[in-house]
Amino acid sequence: MADKWISIGKLKTADLTPYNHCIGLYRHKVNGRIMYIGRAIEYNNGGFRKRLSDYRRNSDSARKHTSGQIINQHLDEIETEILIVGDGADNVEQTKRLEKEYIAKYNPEWNKQCK
């Protein structure tokens, strides 16, 4: 696994616009500890910007799932890093595979709570 994670800062205030067409993995850290690993694979619908913005919205779009509820409750604490895999359909399967590998490697607490 290649570790080319990019810190985008606090999830609550991060500028996601530069990642509008990028897809890949994101990980949320609290006090330096990886708490959640997820994927953004909607390359035609906003990529990382869309996926990560969902956690910050007043609507319940991302909070229908346990993970979204947990992340929204910790917005003030979360530092987010992204791993850009690509920008198209040919990168979706690779992103899904990497997500499984990283979850197995780090066993994040919030991913376990969401099973």
Side-chain angles (χ1 to χ4, degrees):
M1 285 184 267
D3 274 331
K4 296 179 185 173
W5 292 90
I6 301 165
S7 175
I8 60 170
K10 292 277 188 191
L11 177 59
K12 186 173 184 175
T13 57
D15 178 10
L16 302 171
T17 307
Y19 311 106
N20 197 32
H21 298 288
C22 301
I23 65 171
L25 300 181
Y26 58 92
R27 64 185 179 192
H28 296 316
K29 292 182 171 182
V30 175
N31 297 323
R33 186 169 160 219
I34 298 171
M35 301 302 288
Y36 187 79
I37 295 174
R39 66 180 184 230
I41 57 174
E42 295 183 38
Y43 57 90
N44 281 333
N45 193 21
F48 283 111
R49 180 197 50 78
K50 163 85 170 61
R51 183 69 189 109
L52 295 174
S53 291
D54 283 346
Y55 294 120
R56 305 190 299 200
R57 297 175 201 254
N58 289 330
S59 71
D60 67 351
S61 58
R63 293 185 290 283
K64 292 177 183 172
H65 303 285
T66 305
S67 61
Q69 294 168 7
I70 294 169
I71 292 164
N72 184 262
Q73 291 167 2
H74 292 87
L75 274 180
D76 292 325
E77 307 164 72
I78 294 173
E79 294 279 342
T80 300
E81 297 175 336
I82 62 172
L83 177 66
I84 298 172
V85 176
D87 61 6
D90 52 332
N91 303 115
V92 171
E93 289 307 314
Q94 179 184 6
T95 300
K96 289 178 179 179
R97 181 180 47 77
L98 285 171
E99 179 188 33
K100 289 179 186 175
E101 290 176 19
Y102 275 100
I103 289 172
K105 180 178 179 179
Y106 292 105
N107 199 21
E109 184 179 324
W110 295 345
N111 288 85
K112 290 186 285 189
Q113 292 178 11
C114 300
K115 287 188 176 190

